[in-house]
Amino acid sequence: QVHLAESGGGSVQAGGSLRLSCTASNFRLDSDVNCMGFARQPPAKERGRVAEVCRNSGSTYYSDSVKGRFEISRSGNTITLQMNNLKTEDSDVYICGSASIPIHLLFLEQFDGRGQGTQVTVSS
């Protein structure tokens, strides 16, 4: 089973920046970590998509709410999400996920790998 270890997060005032990282290990198939990204804890029956990067295609995905403010990068099996100009509505638990296909197409329970989540709190 894919192990995903998250780091970063914390508390910041609106307009500030935070950085999240996630490293994958203990995976059996390289395809299980082809796409890695972060999702928010969504309401039931919704996908908590935020941002992702897929190794094989080199493609990235950003939800409309974070475009222009967040940037995701990847080095090997570690991804980094740079979060700039944070807003109070960005506050949530951010969960690192991995899958063979873009994770923004999946519900959390469909991820091949899933981290425990890290809290991001943005105050006004």
Side-chain angles (χ1 to χ4, degrees), residues 1-4 22 24-25 27 29-38 52-53 74 79 95-103 106-108 110-115:
Q1 185 173 353
V2 181
H3 176 70
L4 297 176
C22 175
S25 62
F27 50 91
L29 300 173
D30 286 343
S31 60
D32 289 344
V33 295
N34 175 40
C35 296
M36 293 179 65
F38 288 93
E52 71 186 30
V53 54
R74 179 167 183 163
I79 60 171
I95 301 167
C96 180
S98 73
S100 59
I101 65 172
I103 64 170
L106 304 173
F107 294 98
L108 285 179
Q110 296 174 305
F111 291 177
D112 290 316
R114 177 177 166 181

Short mmCIF file of all heavy atoms in Angstrom, two decimals, residues 1-4 22 24-25 27 29-38 52-53 74 79 95-103 106-108 110-115:
data_model
loop_
_atom_site.label_atom_id
_atom_site.label_comp_id
_atom_site.label_asym_id
_atom_site.label_seq_id
_atom_site.Cartn_x
_atom_site.Cartn_y
_atom_site.Cartn_z
N GLN A 1 0.85 -1.18 0.00
CA GLN A 1 0.00 0.00 0.00
C GLN A 1 0.89 1.24 0.00
O GLN A 1 1.89 1.29 0.69
CB GLN A 1 -0.90 -0.01 1.22
CG GLN A 1 -1.88 1.12 1.24
CD GLN A 1 -2.89 0.99 2.38
OE1 GLN A 1 -2.90 -0.01 3.07
NE2 GLN A 1 -3.70 2.00 2.56
N VAL A 2 0.47 2.23 -0.77
CA VAL A 2 1.25 3.46 -0.88
C VAL A 2 1.22 4.20 0.45
O VAL A 2 0.16 4.39 1.05
CB VAL A 2 0.68 4.36 -1.98
CG1 VAL A 2 1.51 5.63 -2.11
CG2 VAL A 2 0.64 3.63 -3.31
N HIS A 3 2.40 4.61 0.90
CA HIS A 3 2.49 5.44 2.10
C HIS A 3 2.79 6.87 1.67
O HIS A 3 3.75 7.09 0.93
CB HIS A 3 3.57 4.93 3.03
CG HIS A 3 3.76 5.79 4.23
ND1 HIS A 3 2.81 5.88 5.25
CD2 HIS A 3 4.77 6.61 4.59
CE1 HIS A 3 3.25 6.70 6.17
NE2 HIS A 3 4.43 7.17 5.81
N LEU A 4 1.98 7.81 2.11
CA LEU A 4 2.18 9.22 1.78
C LEU A 4 2.40 9.99 3.07
O LEU A 4 1.54 9.96 3.97
CB LEU A 4 0.96 9.76 1.03
CG LEU A 4 0.67 9.11 -0.33
CD1 LEU A 4 -0.61 9.66 -0.92
CD2 LEU A 4 1.83 9.32 -1.30
N CYS A 22 4.66 16.41 0.19
CA CYS A 22 4.18 15.04 0.37
C CYS A 22 5.16 14.11 -0.33
O CYS A 22 5.50 14.33 -1.50
CB CYS A 22 2.78 14.90 -0.23
SG CYS A 22 2.13 13.21 -0.22
N ALA A 24 5.99 10.04 -1.28
CA ALA A 24 5.43 8.69 -1.40
C ALA A 24 6.51 7.64 -1.19
O ALA A 24 7.65 7.80 -1.62
CB ALA A 24 4.81 8.51 -2.78
N SER A 25 6.14 6.56 -0.52
CA SER A 25 7.06 5.45 -0.32
C SER A 25 6.25 4.16 -0.20
O SER A 25 5.01 4.18 -0.15
CB SER A 25 7.90 5.66 0.95
OG SER A 25 7.07 5.71 2.10
N PHE A 27 5.47 1.85 -2.20
CA PHE A 27 4.49 1.51 -3.23
C PHE A 27 5.03 0.36 -4.08
O PHE A 27 6.23 0.25 -4.29
CB PHE A 27 4.14 2.71 -4.12
CG PHE A 27 5.33 3.45 -4.67
CD1 PHE A 27 5.87 3.13 -5.90
CD2 PHE A 27 5.90 4.49 -3.95
CE1 PHE A 27 6.96 3.81 -6.40
CE2 PHE A 27 6.98 5.19 -4.44
CZ PHE A 27 7.53 4.84 -5.67
N LEU A 29 3.76 -0.51 -7.30
CA LEU A 29 3.75 -0.17 -8.72
C LEU A 29 4.03 1.32 -8.90
O LEU A 29 3.44 2.14 -8.20
CB LEU A 29 2.40 -0.51 -9.34
CG LEU A 29 1.96 -1.98 -9.27
CD1 LEU A 29 0.52 -2.11 -9.78
CD2 LEU A 29 2.89 -2.86 -10.09
N ASP A 30 4.88 1.64 -9.85
CA ASP A 30 5.14 3.05 -10.14
C ASP A 30 3.86 3.77 -10.56
O ASP A 30 3.69 4.96 -10.31
CB ASP A 30 6.17 3.18 -11.26
CG ASP A 30 7.58 2.87 -10.78
OD1 ASP A 30 7.80 2.86 -9.56
OD2 ASP A 30 8.46 2.65 -11.64
N SER A 31 2.95 3.03 -11.18
CA SER A 31 1.71 3.65 -11.65
C SER A 31 0.86 4.16 -10.47
O SER A 31 0.07 5.08 -10.65
CB SER A 31 0.90 2.67 -12.48
OG SER A 31 0.56 1.51 -11.72
N ASP A 32 1.03 3.58 -9.30
CA ASP A 32 0.25 4.01 -8.15
C ASP A 32 0.57 5.44 -7.73
O ASP A 32 -0.22 6.07 -7.03
CB ASP A 32 0.50 3.08 -6.95
CG ASP A 32 -0.12 1.70 -7.14
OD1 ASP A 32 -0.99 1.55 -8.03
OD2 ASP A 32 0.27 0.78 -6.40
N VAL A 33 1.73 5.93 -8.15
CA VAL A 33 2.11 7.30 -7.81
C VAL A 33 2.35 8.13 -9.06
O VAL A 33 3.06 9.13 -9.02
CB VAL A 33 3.34 7.33 -6.88
CG1 VAL A 33 3.02 6.70 -5.55
CG2 VAL A 33 4.54 6.65 -7.54
N ASN A 34 1.76 7.71 -10.18
CA ASN A 34 1.91 8.49 -11.42
C ASN A 34 1.39 9.91 -11.21
O ASN A 34 2.04 10.87 -11.55
CB ASN A 34 1.15 7.81 -12.56
CG ASN A 34 1.17 8.65 -13.82
OD1 ASN A 34 2.19 9.25 -14.16
ND2 ASN A 34 0.05 8.69 -14.52
N CYS A 35 0.21 10.02 -10.67
CA CYS A 35 -0.38 11.32 -10.37
C CYS A 35 -0.42 11.52 -8.86
O CYS A 35 -0.88 10.64 -8.13
CB CYS A 35 -1.79 11.42 -10.94
SG CYS A 35 -1.85 11.33 -12.75
N MET A 36 0.08 12.65 -8.42
CA MET A 36 0.07 12.99 -7.00
C MET A 36 -0.43 14.41 -6.84
O MET A 36 -0.14 15.29 -7.67
CB MET A 36 1.49 12.87 -6.41
CG MET A 36 2.03 11.46 -6.35
SD MET A 36 3.70 11.39 -5.67
CE MET A 36 3.44 11.94 -3.99
N GLY A 37 -1.14 14.64 -5.77
CA GLY A 37 -1.66 15.98 -5.56
C GLY A 37 -2.30 16.12 -4.20
O GLY A 37 -2.16 15.24 -3.34
N PHE A 38 -2.97 17.22 -4.02
CA PHE A 38 -3.65 17.52 -2.77
C PHE A 38 -5.14 17.74 -3.03
O PHE A 38 -5.53 18.34 -4.04
CB PHE A 38 -3.07 18.77 -2.10
CG PHE A 38 -1.71 18.55 -1.51
CD1 PHE A 38 -0.58 18.81 -2.25
CD2 PHE A 38 -1.57 18.07 -0.21
CE1 PHE A 38 0.69 18.61 -1.71
CE2 PHE A 38 -0.32 17.87 0.34
CZ PHE A 38 0.82 18.13 -0.41
N GLU A 52 -2.75 18.99 -8.67
CA GLU A 52 -2.04 17.73 -8.87
C GLU A 52 -1.04 17.86 -10.00
O GLU A 52 -1.11 18.77 -10.82
CB GLU A 52 -3.02 16.61 -9.18
CG GLU A 52 -3.62 16.73 -10.57
CD GLU A 52 -4.71 15.69 -10.83
OE1 GLU A 52 -5.38 15.28 -9.89
OE2 GLU A 52 -4.86 15.32 -12.00
N VAL A 53 -0.13 16.88 -10.04
CA VAL A 53 0.84 16.79 -11.12
C VAL A 53 1.02 15.31 -11.45
O VAL A 53 1.10 14.47 -10.56
CB VAL A 53 2.20 17.45 -10.73
CG1 VAL A 53 2.76 16.89 -9.44
CG2 VAL A 53 3.20 17.34 -11.85
N ARG A 74 7.02 18.82 -8.66
CA ARG A 74 7.34 17.44 -8.32
C ARG A 74 8.81 17.16 -8.56
O ARG A 74 9.37 17.55 -9.59
CB ARG A 74 6.49 16.47 -9.15
CG ARG A 74 6.77 15.00 -8.85
CD ARG A 74 5.71 14.12 -9.47
NE ARG A 74 5.91 12.72 -9.14
CZ ARG A 74 4.98 11.79 -9.26
NH1 ARG A 74 3.77 12.10 -9.72
NH2 ARG A 74 5.26 10.53 -8.96
N ILE A 79 6.10 15.80 -3.88
CA ILE A 79 5.44 16.95 -4.46
C ILE A 79 5.43 18.09 -3.45
O ILE A 79 5.45 17.86 -2.23
CB ILE A 79 4.00 16.65 -4.93
CG1 ILE A 79 3.13 16.19 -3.75
CG2 ILE A 79 4.01 15.63 -6.05
CD1 ILE A 79 1.65 16.07 -4.10
N ILE A 95 -5.32 16.89 2.04
CA ILE A 95 -4.96 15.48 2.01
C ILE A 95 -4.15 15.18 0.77
O ILE A 95 -4.58 15.52 -0.35
CB ILE A 95 -6.23 14.61 2.04
CG1 ILE A 95 -7.04 14.91 3.31
CG2 ILE A 95 -5.88 13.13 1.94
CD1 ILE A 95 -8.44 14.35 3.28
N CYS A 96 -2.99 14.57 0.94
CA CYS A 96 -2.17 14.15 -0.19
C CYS A 96 -2.72 12.84 -0.74
O CYS A 96 -3.06 11.93 0.04
CB CYS A 96 -0.73 13.97 0.25
SG CYS A 96 0.38 13.45 -1.09
N GLY A 97 -2.79 12.76 -2.06
CA GLY A 97 -3.31 11.55 -2.68
C GLY A 97 -2.50 11.15 -3.90
O GLY A 97 -1.81 11.98 -4.49
N SER A 98 -2.59 9.90 -4.26
CA SER A 98 -1.90 9.41 -5.46
C SER A 98 -2.76 8.39 -6.17
O SER A 98 -3.59 7.70 -5.53
CB SER A 98 -0.55 8.79 -5.11
OG SER A 98 -0.72 7.53 -4.48
N ALA A 99 -2.55 8.30 -7.47
CA ALA A 99 -3.29 7.34 -8.28
C ALA A 99 -2.61 7.21 -9.64
O ALA A 99 -1.76 8.01 -9.99
CB ALA A 99 -4.75 7.76 -8.45
N SER A 100 -3.02 6.20 -10.40
CA SER A 100 -2.45 6.02 -11.74
C SER A 100 -3.04 7.02 -12.73
O SER A 100 -2.44 7.29 -13.77
CB SER A 100 -2.69 4.59 -12.21
OG SER A 100 -4.08 4.30 -12.24
N ILE A 101 -4.22 7.55 -12.41
CA ILE A 101 -4.88 8.53 -13.27
C ILE A 101 -5.05 9.83 -12.48
O ILE A 101 -4.87 9.84 -11.26
CB ILE A 101 -6.23 8.01 -13.78
CG1 ILE A 101 -7.20 7.83 -12.61
CG2 ILE A 101 -6.04 6.72 -14.57
CD1 ILE A 101 -8.61 7.49 -13.07
N PRO A 102 -5.37 10.93 -13.15
CA PRO A 102 -5.54 12.19 -12.43
C PRO A 102 -6.48 12.08 -11.24
O PRO A 102 -7.62 11.64 -11.40
CB PRO A 102 -6.07 13.13 -13.51
CG PRO A 102 -5.47 12.60 -14.77
CD PRO A 102 -5.48 11.12 -14.61
N ILE A 103 -6.03 12.51 -10.09
CA ILE A 103 -6.83 12.32 -8.88
C ILE A 103 -8.03 13.25 -8.84
O ILE A 103 -8.96 13.00 -8.08
CB ILE A 103 -5.98 12.47 -7.60
CG1 ILE A 103 -5.42 13.88 -7.45
CG2 ILE A 103 -4.87 11.43 -7.56
CD1 ILE A 103 -4.79 14.14 -6.09
N LEU A 106 -11.24 11.52 -9.26
CA LEU A 106 -11.58 10.47 -8.30
C LEU A 106 -12.12 11.03 -7.00
O LEU A 106 -11.85 12.17 -6.62
CB LEU A 106 -10.32 9.64 -7.98
CG LEU A 106 -9.59 9.01 -9.16
CD1 LEU A 106 -8.29 8.38 -8.69
CD2 LEU A 106 -10.47 8.00 -9.87
N PHE A 107 -12.88 10.20 -6.31
CA PHE A 107 -13.25 10.48 -4.93
C PHE A 107 -12.11 10.00 -4.03
O PHE A 107 -11.32 9.14 -4.43
CB PHE A 107 -14.54 9.77 -4.56
CG PHE A 107 -15.75 10.27 -5.30
CD1 PHE A 107 -16.21 9.59 -6.42
CD2 PHE A 107 -16.41 11.41 -4.90
CE1 PHE A 107 -17.33 10.06 -7.12
CE2 PHE A 107 -17.51 11.89 -5.59
CZ PHE A 107 -17.96 11.21 -6.71
N LEU A 108 -12.01 10.54 -2.83
CA LEU A 108 -10.91 10.21 -1.93
C LEU A 108 -10.76 8.70 -1.74
O LEU A 108 -9.64 8.18 -1.71
CB LEU A 108 -11.12 10.87 -0.56
CG LEU A 108 -10.86 12.37 -0.46
CD1 LEU A 108 -11.15 12.86 0.95
CD2 LEU A 108 -9.45 12.71 -0.86
N GLN A 110 -11.14 6.43 -3.71
CA GLN A 110 -10.63 5.77 -4.90
C GLN A 110 -9.13 5.98 -5.10
O GLN A 110 -8.54 5.41 -6.02
CB GLN A 110 -11.39 6.27 -6.14
CG GLN A 110 -12.87 5.93 -6.13
CD GLN A 110 -13.61 6.57 -7.29
OE1 GLN A 110 -13.56 7.79 -7.48
NE2 GLN A 110 -14.30 5.76 -8.06
N PHE A 111 -8.50 6.79 -4.27
CA PHE A 111 -7.07 7.02 -4.40
C PHE A 111 -6.30 5.73 -4.12
O PHE A 111 -6.67 4.95 -3.24
CB PHE A 111 -6.59 8.07 -3.40
CG PHE A 111 -7.07 9.47 -3.67
CD1 PHE A 111 -6.74 10.50 -2.79
CD2 PHE A 111 -7.85 9.78 -4.77
CE1 PHE A 111 -7.17 11.80 -3.02
CE2 PHE A 111 -8.29 11.08 -5.00
CZ PHE A 111 -7.96 12.09 -4.12
N ASP A 112 -5.20 5.52 -4.82
CA ASP A 112 -4.32 4.39 -4.51
C ASP A 112 -3.56 4.64 -3.21
O ASP A 112 -3.26 3.72 -2.48
CB ASP A 112 -3.33 4.16 -5.65
CG ASP A 112 -4.01 3.61 -6.90
OD1 ASP A 112 -4.86 2.70 -6.75
OD2 ASP A 112 -3.72 4.09 -8.01
N GLY A 113 -3.21 5.90 -2.97
CA GLY A 113 -2.55 6.27 -1.74
C GLY A 113 -3.20 7.52 -1.17
O GLY A 113 -3.65 8.39 -1.92
N ARG A 114 -3.20 7.63 0.15
CA ARG A 114 -3.88 8.76 0.79
C ARG A 114 -3.20 9.07 2.10
O ARG A 114 -3.03 8.18 2.93
CB ARG A 114 -5.34 8.40 1.00
CG ARG A 114 -6.17 9.42 1.71
CD ARG A 114 -7.60 8.92 1.75
NE ARG A 114 -8.42 9.66 2.69
CZ ARG A 114 -9.69 9.41 2.93
NH1 ARG A 114 -10.30 8.44 2.28
NH2 ARG A 114 -10.36 10.13 3.80
N GLY A 115 -2.77 10.32 2.27
CA GLY A 115 -2.13 10.71 3.51
C GLY A 115 -3.15 10.98 4.59
O GLY A 115 -4.36 10.93 4.36
#
